[in-house]
Amino acid sequence: MKAALVAAAAAVAIAIFLRARRRHLRAKKIAYINTEDAAKWHDQLEVFAAALRLPPEAFEKFDAFANEFPSAAALQRGEYSGVLLTGSHFSAVDPTLPWLDGLFASIRAAAAAPDVRVLGCCFGAQAVAVALGGAVGANPDGRFCYGVEEIALDGPRAARLLPEALPPTLRLLESHGEQVTRLPPTAELLGSSAGTPHEIFIAGGGNVLCVQAHPEFTPELMGARIAPALRDKGRLSAAELEERAAGMRQRPLHSERVCSVYRAFLLGEMPRL
């Protein structure tokens, strides 16, 4: 009887501690490092917020192209629960971009911070790779990747990363002309596709998660904002774009579930990977 009471008291104490920790973490903001300056993406923060089921006020925005970054001291003190690095039309290996060095320094500072989670999305994933010693280049097949990719998960950490009942292959939206061609030395691969060998990987001490795909996007958003530019620049024909659009509609995507992982990861509601 006494042992049962002690166990019950311990369970209550743990539950109280976890609730308090969640409240503490939610009081912190997510540093949103915006790497896209195109006017059509003026609301990209709101797009992410809706996908992650968080209010826009949960984020503090920094425009990387204006040399705005969270300070290394603030990151080290754990003033942010996480850092989100967005997609972009820029290249992470463009030597003419003067703000990339500041971005890479901020990524390294965030990756080294003990209480901060780092999420790199598309260009953000590529920037993380370069900052931590990996490499980025053009898609191996020379074609622009647009539409649905099937990503095969691999390794024990992939199961830990995606705790929900997910199939071994994820269907996610993608849009990129470049990709990670070599992982950083500390990285571990979690998922790959036919066209992108390094789709999902972790780095640092398990506090850095990078995903080439765009689970935060919808097919409608991609069709309205990305497809016209690809057509106008001659990267994909109208027939090819219609084929990709049809592919997006064929079977359900796993975007919502992956965004749930993003949310839990950035808020510190799941263990380091």
Side-chain angles (χ1 to χ4, degrees), residues 38-248:
K40 65 182 178 182
W41 292 110
H42 67 94
D43 61 346
Q44 191 171 204
L45 188 154
E46 286 74 19
V47 170
F48 267 106
L52 272 59
R53 294 179 291 110
L54 289 169
E57 295 76 23
F59 301 87
E60 182 176 343
K61 185 178 180 183
F62 299 87
D63 288 329
F65 48 83
N67 283 305
E68 297 175 359
F69 307 102
S71 72
L75 291 168
Q76 191 64 30
R77 289 194 299 267
E79 293 185 9
Y80 302 96
S81 66
V83 173
L84 190 158
L85 298 141
T86 72
S88 177
H89 74 279
F90 291 113
S91 169
V93 290
D94 183 348
T96 68
L97 295 178
W99 49 270
L100 282 182
D101 285 343
L103 176 63
F104 297 151
S106 186
I107 290 170
R108 287 190 287 269
D115 298 319
V116 177
R117 308 294 180 87
V118 182
L119 175 63
C121 307
C122 195
F123 169 90
Q126 297 167 17
V128 168
V130 174
L132 300 184
V136 167
N139 293 343
D141 62 5
R143 295 176 60 80
F144 194 91
C145 178
Y146 174 83
V148 176
E149 283 289 309
E150 295 193 346
I151 303 169
L153 299 177
D154 186 27
R157 289 194 176 183
R160 185 178 178 184
L161 165 65
L162 301 170
E164 300 182 56
L166 291 178
T169 300
L170 299 176
R171 297 186 78 248
L172 295 174
L173 299 175
E174 304 216 6
S175 176
H176 60 92
E178 294 182 329
Q179 60 181 267
V180 176
T181 56
R182 187 182 73 247
L183 292 177
T186 63
E188 181 176 344
L189 185 66
L190 296 185
S192 61
S193 69
T196 306
H198 308 118
E199 285 276 6
I200 305 174
F201 63 92
I202 58 172
N207 66 320
V208 180
L209 170 62
C210 294
V211 180
Q212 181 62 59
H214 282 289
E216 74 279 7
F217 287 172
T218 64
E220 294 75 20
L221 185 68
M222 288 180 58
R225 299 193 187 183
I226 300 177
L230 296 178
R231 182 193 61 236
D232 293 346
K233 294 176 181 178
R235 290 186 171 180
L236 291 172
S237 68
E240 288 174 318
L241 288 169
E242 179 52 40
E243 179 185 358
R244 308 297 169 81
M248 297 182 202

